[in-house]
């Protein structure tokens, strides 16, 4: 059986530093942690992965189930690889529901209108099943940093990704929330 993900000889440089021949193999059911000396090295690894996703101008290759991912726009999205950045990527003036399902809001079929009742119910169920007590109707701007992080993480999980790349997933989180995050990650892997 082929590895789920292989990064082969990824080489990248920018004004902040250079990365040479990064290789990594991830098999089904595995969780990996990449430990680096400091945040600038961490940022360099993330920049290399993002550069692969955004441009053809990078050396190395990334394979998903032994199939090379195309370099350039949309390759990670098409392969259902989600990236969680160190800073929460949420839209402050939208609600929790809108942030969680912005690209997959339930609609009234065959019409293109959003079914708000169904969307809020879906968000409520997702939050409840993950053991978080957050009102799905509240604006993101009214939430704490921790709750914004929770919404961001759950949004990525709603896509049921094949692979998640998490940069500092536990930053700004309490111990109880970290425990829940770890449980959600383990459940997702299995």
């Amino acid at each position: 059986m082929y590895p789920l993900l292989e990064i082969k000889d990824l080489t990248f440089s920018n004004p902040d530093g250079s990365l040479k021949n990064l290789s990594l193999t991830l098999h089904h059911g595995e969780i990996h942690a990449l430990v680096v000396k400091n945040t600038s090295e961490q940022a360099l690894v993330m920049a290399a992965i993002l550069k692969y996703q955004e441009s053809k101008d990078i050396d190395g290759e990334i394979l998903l189930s032994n199939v090379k991912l195309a370099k350039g726009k949309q390759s990670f999205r098409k392969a259902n690889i989600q990236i969680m950045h160190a800073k929460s990527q949420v839209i402050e003036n939208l609600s929790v529901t809108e942030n969680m399902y912005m690209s997959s809001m339930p609609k009234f079929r065959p019409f293109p209108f959003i079914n708000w009742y169904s969307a809020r119910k879906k968000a409520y169920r997702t939050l409840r099943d993950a053991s978080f007590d957050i009102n799905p109707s509240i604006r993101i701007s009214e939430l704490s940093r921790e709750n914004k992080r929770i919404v961001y993480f759950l949004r990525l999980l709603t896509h049921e990704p094949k692979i998640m790349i998490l940069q500092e997933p536990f930053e700004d989180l309490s111990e109880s929330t970290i425990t829940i995050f770890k449980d959600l990650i383990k459940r997702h892997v299995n």
Side-chain angles (χ1 to χ4, degrees):
M1 177 176 240
Y2 296 113
L4 180 60
L5 177 77
E6 286 183 276
I7 297 175
K8 293 184 176 181
D9 299 320
L10 200 59
T11 301
F12 172 75
S13 64
N14 68 16
D16 298 326
S18 62
L19 182 69
K20 202 168 194 182
N21 299 327
L22 173 69
S23 294
L24 175 78
T25 302
L26 175 71
H27 293 276
H28 291 272
E30 291 182 341
I31 299 171
H32 286 240
L34 182 60
V35 180
V36 294
K37 290 180 192 173
N38 54 47
T39 55
S40 63
E41 285 185 359
Q42 178 193 87
L44 192 61
V45 170
M46 288 302 292
I49 291 170
L50 293 172
K51 181 73 170 180
Y52 190 97
Q53 175 184 274
E54 296 167 358
S55 168
K56 296 178 183 191
D57 186 28
I58 187 167
D59 293 330
E61 59 186 17
I62 298 177
L63 292 93
L64 184 64
S65 299
N66 207 39
V67 175
K68 184 177 177 181
L69 286 181
K71 295 177 185 176
K73 298 230 183 276
Q74 307 299 319
S75 63
F76 281 31
R77 185 173 301 184
K78 287 178 185 173
N80 200 8
I81 297 172
Q82 294 291 323
I83 297 175
M84 181 178 186
H85 298 273
K87 184 176 187 273
S88 295
Q89 307 287 307
V90 292
I91 301 174
E92 294 283 328
N93 62 343
L94 295 182
S95 71
V96 168
T97 300
E98 291 167 307
N99 270 277
M100 286 179 62
Y101 298 105
M102 62 179 66
S103 63
S104 61
M105 291 290 259
K107 303 226 177 2
F108 288 106
R109 300 284 184 229
F111 307 106
F113 306 116
I114 294 172
N115 182 338
W116 287 105
Y117 174 77
S118 179
R120 280 189 284 281
K121 187 175 176 182
K122 188 176 176 182
Y124 174 78
R125 194 172 30 249
T126 299
L127 290 158
R128 185 200 63 214
D129 290 349
S131 302
F132 294 114
D133 185 24
I134 300 172
N135 180 346
S137 299
I138 197 169
R139 295 246 176 262
I140 288 287
S141 59
E142 298 175 43
L143 296 178
S144 67
R145 288 178 75 176
E146 179 175 58
N147 284 344
K148 289 176 187 179
R149 194 93 177 131
I150 290 166
V151 170
Y152 177 40
F153 180 69
L154 291 176
R155 181 180 75 218
L156 298 177
L157 280 179
T158 63
H159 292 284
E160 298 182 16
K162 288 183 183 175
I163 296 170
M164 288 183 74
I165 299 171
L166 310 174
Q167 181 183 15
E168 295 294 343
F170 307 134
E171 193 166 309
D172 297 327
L173 300 181
S174 66
E175 283 187 45
S176 60
T177 300
I178 290 171
T179 301
I180 294 170
F181 266 40
K182 286 179 180 179
D183 181 56
L184 290 170
I185 291 168
K186 286 176 188 173
R187 274 196 270 165
H188 180 74
V189 168
N190 296 327

